[in-house]
Structures are given as C-alpha cells and as structure tokens.
Amino acid sequence: MEAKVEERINQLKTLINYHNHRYYVLDSPEISDAEYDELMKELKELEEKYPRFLTADSPTQRVGAEPLVAFGVVEHRYPLLSLGNAFSRDELLAWYSRVSKLSDGRQFSFVCEHKIDGLAVALTYANGRLVTGATRGDGFRGENITQNLRTIRSVPLSVKKEAPSRFEVRGEVFLPKTGFHKLNQERAAEGLPLFANPRNAAAGSVRQLDPRITARRPLDIYIYALGYAEGKTTPESHWETMEYLKSLGFKINPNNARFDSIDRVEEYYREWVEKKESLPYEADGVVVKVDSLPLQEQLGNVGHEPRWAIAYKFPATQATTRLKSIEISVGRTGTLNPYAVLEPVSVGGVTIRQAALHNEDDIRRKDIREGDRVLVQRAGEVIPEVVGPTPESKQSPERGKEFSLLDKLKRNEQGHPLCPVADCGGVVVRSEGEVMYYCTNAACPAQAQHRLELFVSRGAMDIRGIGESQSALLLREGLVRDVADLYYLKKEDLLKLERMAEKSASNIIEAIEKSKDRPLSRVILALGIRHVGGEMAQILAQEFKDLDDLKSASREKLMSIPAVGPKIAESIIAFFGQEENLCIIEGLRGAGVWPKSEATGKEAVPLAGMEFVITGRLEAFTRQEAEARVKELGGTVKDNVTRKTSYLVVGDEPGSKLARARALGIKELNEEEFRHLLERKA
Ligand code: IVH
C-alpha cells in the first residue's frame, strides 16, 4: 500500500513537472487547466494524507512558505558582473574593434539577447534540486531569496538526473507588462505608492519577506548564463550552453539570436528598436555577447564589467515640453493627487498630454514649477512621468514660484483649505508624517464615484454595464448614495436615467443580482479599505469567517497575520469605525451579500464546496450522523452520484452508486478514510 502511494506520488510529480514545463517554460500546454488542477488536487491530497512523502521540490510547494524575519546572505562563488553600455552605433563599433584587436585576428560570432528590465538572480542546483536562489546584491554577496524564487513557475525545482552534480545558472526575473499593469492598478486602488517601472515591481515582489505575496505576483524568468558546473563537461559556446540549459528545462528567451557579423548585430538592434513596444516584457537594450566561451575567458573583465559583452541601449523615450499647469484630482480614499497638464508632445510615438506628479514633496524635490519646460519620460506601459525641468528652464529669470498644493485650493471662512472637487466643500488636511493631503468629507462626490467604480470593477464585484458614466449618473440622480444601494435598485429606477434602454436596465439588474455570490475576498476588496488590495483581501478572506468577523477584529488579531503590518491594521480598524461604512455592511447583509470565509486550513468550513454521497452501511456512524458531520464542516451530502460528486463513501454492501461512481471516476473513500478525512478537517 505504502509503496504504491509513494509510486503514485512520484508519478504525479513527474507528470505535473512535465506539464508545468510545457505551460510555463515552453508556452505550449498539452492538457486543459481542469485536467492539470485534477492532478494537483490528487497530489495535494496524497501528500496531506501521507506527509512523510512530501518533499521540498514537490510542485505543490510553490505556494509560498512561512514569512521570514530577514533574508540570509549568500556568497557568490564567482561574482555576478554588470555590463558596460553603448548608447550609439559608434560606441558599439568601438567595442567591436577592441574585441577584434584582443582576439588575435580570429573570426568570432555574437549572441544578441534583450536586456530585460528585471533583476539578476543566481540559482544553484545540487544533485538535481534547486538548493539556493540569490539576488545579485553587490555582485559578491546577495540575499538568499530561495523561498521566493521557488514560487516562480518557470523556475524548475528539479532538473533531469543527467544534469551536472552541482551548477549555478543566472538569469533575469521580471514581471511581464500585463502583470505590472495589473499590480499597479491594484496598488492605486489600495492607495499604495505605485511601482515606477516593472523592474522595481519585480524587485519589490522578489524581496518580500512573505513568500505568499511573491507567489501571487505573475513573475517570470529568462536564464542568460551558466555560472559554473561541476561533474560534467558543458558546451564551449554561449549559444550551445543556452541550448543545453533549455534541454535541462530552463526558460531561455526565444528572441535570442546568433550572428557572425557586427552588421547583423546592428540589424537585430534596429529591428527591436522598432518592435520593442510589442514585447510582453520591458527591455531597455540589446546585450551583445561574444559567443565563444574560451574567447570570453581570454578577453576577461575590466573591474566589474566583462570585455566580452556590452549593453547596446535603446534610445530613451524622453521628450521636452511645456508644463502648462499643475492640477489636482481626488482619489478614492480622498488623496489629493497633483498631475501635470502638458503641451501635447509625442514621446516614442505616443502623444502625452498629462503626467503623474505623485505628491507635493516630490514636486519640490525635483523643483518642478508651472510654466517650466520639462523633460517627460515614458517607459513602455508605464504612466508618463515628469523627470524635471530642463537646465535652461531652471535658470530662467522669469520662472514661476515653488509649487504649493495649498495655494491651489480655495478656503472657507475659517481659512481652512477646501477640496478642489465641485460640490464637495470638504476640508483638506495633511497628517503628520504623511506625504499626501486628504479631503475629509466622506461624502465627497469624487470619492463616492471612485468607490462605486472600484466596487463594480472586474476584480471586485464584477458588475457589468455600470461604467464611469453610469456611476456618475447614479450618484448624481441620487439613486445610489453608497455601494450597498446598488442591491436595492429596481429596473424602474434605472429607466428614469437619461438614455437608459429597457434592455440595458434589465442587464444591469441581472448583473447586480449575479454579483451577490462573489467570494469574500472580492467583497473585501470591493469595500475599498485603504491599503487593502487584491492580495491583502485574499489573505483576510482566509483568516476571517465573514465581514462581521473582520469588522470586530482587534489590532492584535490583525497584527498576528504575517502579511498585515500596523498601517493596514489601523486602516481596517478605521474603516469599520466609520458609521457610513457600517451602514454599507448592514446594507450588504440585508441584500444577502454575505459570503463566508475562504479558509483552506482547519478553521471555518474545511469541506466547503464538497459533495459526498454515501452507499452501503457504515460501522461507526448511522447515516444521519455521517450526514451531520459532513454538514458541520461545510460539505453537503447528496443521494445520487453525479459529476459534481467529490467523494463516494463506501460502506458494507454498497449499492449501484458504486458502479456509477467508478464509471465517472469519482474518488472513493472507505469508512476508515472517511473518518480520517473528518478528523483531519475538524
Ligand atoms: S548578461 C556579464 N544578459 O543586466 C554579463 N544580463 O548590467 C552580465 N540583464 O545585472 C549579465 N538581461 O540583471 C545579461 N540577457 C541578459 C540580460 C542581462 C538583463 C541585466 C542583468 C545584469 C545587468 C547587467
């Protein structure tokens, strides 16, 4: 029995690793997600039941281990180098002629790779298993981020037996543009500072002390070097080394190319200058490498930089224009967000009229003033940014005065600054130690609109048919004052709105109805608690039974959750301390929007969503007792076996249900296994 289980576990691991590789490394899956999930489920269950067979390299172990207090230090056996840059054709050719001179007239070829904007890591494998993953650090010593790198699906946890007994590969961890975009949208919704670019986002994700957060970020990796290898001879060229690493299961950028002349290298570069926006990742140039490894060795390094490679940078997407004025918008949580209104300018083929300016301190630090000529920058998907005034502008005698956000605001009779939103009239404050100013009016129209937009958005309650303009209309017409009011809308109400057709009204009502059974994490996210975005909402939904449970959580209870720090804890408590928000919670409860915890662990409803069918006589339970136990744990008991049945519990003298379950491939439990399951989950 035991041997059989172990065999099946090993078989599942091999299968899942194979499909992981097809999906995450080769981008060419062979089975459906559902089939994959089935395999994972079976493995997880076996490992749960037989924990002695659970190993660190199991594909189930990518979800993220317990948080760390600090990262350990890893000494790199060979330093991780950086690269010299070429900013022009002349500089590339100068590099080429240096290399030519030093290579004694021998012919050589080049490998061109994209210089991906992420962060360099080194992965060490011993006896086929990933043992250490480290950041570059200062090149000599990096941080031990093994736990986090293990969560990246395209990092193999183990490699084929034929691999060198010990070796290190190096590569770039990055966040694809789409993932970066999504993460920043979430952060904007949470009122958290945005990541300036995918590089910072990747670095921030990988250097999380809580690997569960890393696990939720869609990080990826391309391997670009073999650091060292023991116990095996490896190829003599960089290109073949990459092919070899590919055969071991590593992800190599398919856009890499090998050329035998510098002219072809230039062509490759020019081609990608044109096409770089279409890449799924951010790249800031082409790394040109000498292909021959013996020649690389002969060329050696100067300081931190190898002579055998150079980064040929893409032209910067920057331009200068006039900053017409600095305006202020109000965010969902009431923050006053300054932004630049620019004379339209084309940056890398895109016309820019506005750019983010973050906050007053930042504007002053960069010394940006209205009327200045400013340098504007855009990097791929990133929101355009004002870098700073041009040097000439800075010296101009007619320059405007230093920016002050408060100067932009009207004041009330008591002299307090007021929210810039029309019809708001809320007083604006800036708390000690905070960089942002806030509008204190809970009923501020701009905030209400943003809250409603967040509530109905895809990642939250996903209510289709209510976009920006409908949200504004609903609020303006007084049909909705807070988000819970949505659930009390009638079709007749909607029909009163401008340009609202019968069909759209029905669709909206239906979409609202459908949103009632969104899971707890979505509802928590939809509430728009400051600093609580998608990731945090999921964590909270696992820790708390329902909104009441979250509402009454103490600071201590909140802080006992590893991913929750004082800022988030305070924010949650402040949220539920506000009368308006309690009204919303009651409104949701009244409308039946009341999801339960998504706990996967022991608490709450461990058998939620599981359907049991019982056949035959059980020894230790009557049928009623068995049913009651399953229900207590959140499961259901049905009379008939269907595709949805999770388990068939098989007692003495089973009936025809057994045959049907077998035909459908439903999992069977004997009485002992059933009892174990109940005990384990209870
Ligand atoms: S080769 C000595 N290849 O660029 C060679 N680096 O400034 C060093 N990078 O820290 C690395 N894509 O993080 C190499 N295809 C690529 C790269 C790449 C991005 C980064 C890497 C390194 C930095 C060098």
Side-chain angles (χ1 to χ4, degrees):
M1 175 68 187
E2 296 268 302
K4 271 230 175 90
V5 171
E6 191 174 13
E7 195 188 314
R8 178 66 183 153
I9 287 186
N10 287 334
Q11 202 177 34
L12 283 167
K13 282 188 198 165
T14 312
L15 254 174
I16 294 171
N17 282 336
Y18 171 79
H19 290 299
N20 264 343
H21 182 250
R22 301 261 357 156
Y23 186 92
Y24 292 105
V25 178
L26 305 178
D27 279 331
S28 107
E30 275 174 5
I31 57 173
S32 70
D33 288 2
E35 286 166 304
Y36 176 85
D37 292 345
E38 271 302 308
L39 295 174
M40 269 306 241
K41 189 166 156 237
E42 186 184 346
L43 179 58
K44 260 188 214 152
E45 282 170 359
L46 283 176
E47 286 175 342
E48 237 174 71
K49 204 156 161 193
Y50 303 94
R52 61 192 166 286
F53 296 136
L54 178 63
T55 58
D57 69 342
S58 167
T60 58
Q61 300 305 296
R62 291 197 192 254
V63 285
E66 286 298 304
L68 299 172
V69 179
F71 295 114
V73 172
V74 174
E75 297 259 354
H76 299 303
R77 190 185 290 192
Y78 300 99
L80 270 71
L81 302 174
S82 55
L83 286 170
N85 291 319
F87 292 99
S88 64
R89 180 165 180 267
D90 286 351
E91 287 178 10
L92 176 76
L93 294 179
W95 170 77
Y96 170 65
S97 76
R98 270 197 310 277
V99 173
S100 300
K101 241 182 242 150
L102 291 167
S103 61
D104 318 319
R106 267 183 293 163
Q107 279 294 315
F108 56 91
S109 24
F110 309 88
V111 174
C112 291
E113 299 171 357
H114 291 154
K115 184 164 188 292
I116 298 182
D117 224 358
L119 90 159
V121 298
L123 305 168
T124 307
Y125 290 78
N127 304 318
R129 296 207 172 162
L130 172 65
V131 289
T132 314
T135 60
R136 173 174 185 272
D138 62 5
F140 300 99
R141 309 167 89 222
E143 283 172 318
N144 186 333
I145 51 163
T146 316
Q147 296 289 34
N148 291 347
L149 294 178
R150 296 173 61 85
T151 68
I152 302 175
R153 299 297 199 279
S154 42
V155 167
L157 298 181
S158 55
V159 289
K160 298 208 179 97
K161 293 260 175 341
E162 312 84 76
S165 55
R166 189 179 181 91
F167 66 99
E168 181 212 74
V169 293
R170 296 169 176 190
E172 196 81 353
V173 169
F174 62 97
L175 201 59
K177 285 175 187 170
T178 47
F180 166 72
H181 223 46
K182 200 167 143 253
L183 181 60
N184 257 357
Q185 271 171 357
E186 273 187 27
R187 291 178 69 88
E190 287 170 61
L192 291 174
L194 302 189
F195 287 117
N197 51 51
R199 205 203 93 72
N200 290 359
S205 302
V206 157
R207 298 188 62 262
Q208 282 285 340
L209 287 168
D210 187 344
R212 289 172 298 190
I213 294 189
T214 313
R216 292 198 174 89
R217 308 247 168 112
L219 293 163
D220 207 340
I221 192 168
Y222 278 129
I223 298 301
Y224 56 60
L226 175 64
Y228 65 84
E230 286 173 2
K232 199 126 231 164
T233 40
T234 49
E236 293 261 295
S237 76
H238 176 65
W239 182 260
E240 274 137 25
T241 305
M242 292 301 105
E243 291 292 313
Y244 172 62
L245 292 179
K246 203 192 285 177
S247 76
L248 290 182
F250 291 98
K251 190 161 177 171
I252 312 295
N253 194 336
N255 294 317
N256 294 354
R258 177 158 64 170
F259 301 114
D260 49 18
S261 80
I262 198 77
D263 291 344
R264 297 297 306 282
V265 168
E266 274 204 82
E267 260 171 50
Y268 176 91
Y269 169 83
R270 280 199 303 270
E271 181 188 328
W272 285 107
V273 167
E274 291 302 315
K275 291 201 307 199
K276 74 181 164 82
E277 297 293 330
S278 67
L279 288 170
Y281 48 76
E282 199 73 49
D284 62 355
V286 167
V287 184
V288 187
K289 300 176 179 177
V290 168
D291 188 33
S292 153
L293 297 179
L295 182 53
Q296 281 190 7
E297 184 136 349
Q298 188 189 321
L299 290 166
N301 310 324
V302 225
H304 253 317
E305 294 169 8
R307 283 198 192 84
W308 49 265
I310 194 157
Y312 190 6
K313 298 302 264 301
F314 291 139
T317 33
Q318 287 189 335
T320 60
T321 188
R322 205 176 74 88
L323 171 60
K324 293 206 285 197
S325 66
I326 297 177
E327 305 294 334
I328 295 158
S329 66
V330 177
R332 195 193 76 236
T333 54
T335 49
L336 268 58
N337 308 319
Y339 64 94
V341 177
L342 304 163
E343 212 128 88
V345 61
S346 165
V347 186
V350 176
T351 304
I352 292 179
R353 295 183 167 80
Q354 289 186 357
L357 282 171
H358 312 299
N359 58 60
E360 184 182 64
D361 291 357
D362 201 45
I363 297 171
R364 289 191 181 172
R365 195 164 37 77
K366 292 179 180 161
D367 194 18
I368 296 168
R369 305 185 188 191
E370 289 180 307
D372 278 353
R373 281 204 73 77
V374 289
L375 191 62
V376 183
Q377 155 172 303
R378 195 180 64 87
E381 303 290 300
V382 188
I383 308 162
E385 197 185 22
V386 177
V387 183
T390 61
E392 301 78 58
S393 206
K394 249 180 142 163
Q395 277 153 20
S396 157
E398 290 113 74
R399 217 173 162 216
K401 58 178 179 8
E402 183 176 58
F403 175 72
S404 153
L405 192 142
L406 290 179
D407 282 357
K408 290 256 158 197
L409 305 178
K410 295 206 177 83
R411 304 213 168 225
N412 64 10
E413 280 150 20
Q414 291 84 43
H416 296 306
L418 295 177
C419 176
V421 173
D423 307 326
C424 174
V427 169
V428 166
V429 297
R430 175 175 176 172
S431 322
E432 195 137 340
E434 287 255 14
V435 289
M436 303 308 277
Y437 289 89
Y438 289 93
C439 162
T440 53
N441 177 12
C444 168
Q447 293 180 51
Q449 161 117 17
H450 289 304
R451 276 198 297 267
L452 191 53
E453 282 170 16
L454 169 72
F455 191 82
V456 301
S457 67
R458 291 262 169 126
M461 302 304 273
D462 193 13
I463 303 179
R464 306 285 167 94
I466 304 185
E468 220 177 292
S469 57
Q470 286 83 355
S471 299
L473 215 53
L474 287 170
L475 288 163
R476 201 169 62 220
E477 297 299 319
L479 288 177
V480 166
R481 278 155 300 131
D482 65 43
V483 295
D485 287 347
L486 284 173
Y487 293 99
Y488 298 87
L489 279 175
K490 303 224 168 34
K491 195 169 142 192
E492 300 82 74
D493 300 328
L494 291 177
L495 286 172
K496 285 182 215 143
L497 295 176
E498 278 168 46
R499 289 200 299 273
M500 178 66 71
E502 178 87 24
K503 181 79 187 135
S504 326
S506 305
N507 288 345
I508 291 178
I509 296 290
E510 198 181 310
I512 293 174
E513 194 58 34
K514 256 189 25 208
S515 77
K516 283 186 176 173
D517 44 52
R518 299 278 179 257
L520 184 58
S521 55
R522 300 266 213 116
V523 179
I524 294 176
L525 171 70
L527 290 175
I529 305 170
R530 190 178 291 169
H531 309 311
V532 176
E535 283 170 355
M536 187 48 60
Q538 282 184 16
I539 293 171
L540 295 172
Q542 287 182 5
E543 296 285 337
F544 295 95
K545 286 208 272 293
D546 53 24
L547 290 179
D548 271 340
D549 198 23
L550 176 62
K551 184 177 80 182
S552 52
S554 65
R555 190 172 189 279
E556 291 67 42
K557 164 74 196 161
L558 287 164
M559 294 280 290
S560 73
I561 303 167
V564 176
K567 214 162 106 179
I568 296 173
E570 295 301 347
S571 162
I572 295 172
I573 288 174
F575 181 89
F576 290 106
Q578 277 196 325
E579 194 55 44
E580 298 84 1
N581 295 331
L582 297 180
C583 278
I584 294 175
I585 304 296
E586 289 318 310
L588 292 175
R589 190 201 310 269
V593 185
W594 203 254
K596 295 283 188 229
S597 173
E598 289 154 32
T600 46
K602 290 193 181 63
E603 313 94 306
V605 281
L607 297 183
M610 292 200 194
E611 269 188 32
F612 290 75
V613 175
I614 303 172
T615 181
R617 204 166 357 95
L618 300 175
E619 300 260 330
F621 311 84
T622 63
R623 187 60 71 93
Q624 285 73 23
E625 279 166 358
E627 284 197 28
R629 291 290 298 279
V630 170
K631 281 189 192 149
E632 258 168 43
L633 297 170
T636 51
V637 179
K638 293 274 163 80
D639 286 332
N640 295 313
V641 174
T642 67
R643 277 183 201 285
K644 282 209 275 171
T645 308
S646 318
Y647 294 102
L648 179 72
V649 181
V650 186
D652 273 349
E653 296 177 38
S656 61
K657 290 173 194 167
L658 182 57
R660 169 139 176 88
R662 289 200 173 151
L664 291 174
I666 304 293
K667 212 163 162 143
E668 294 164 34
L669 296 176
N670 63 28
E671 181 167 349
E672 200 195 7
E673 289 166 332
F674 177 56
R675 223 182 41 234
H676 273 302
L677 182 80
L678 294 178
E679 277 161 16
R680 221 180 37 236
K681 301 283 183 180

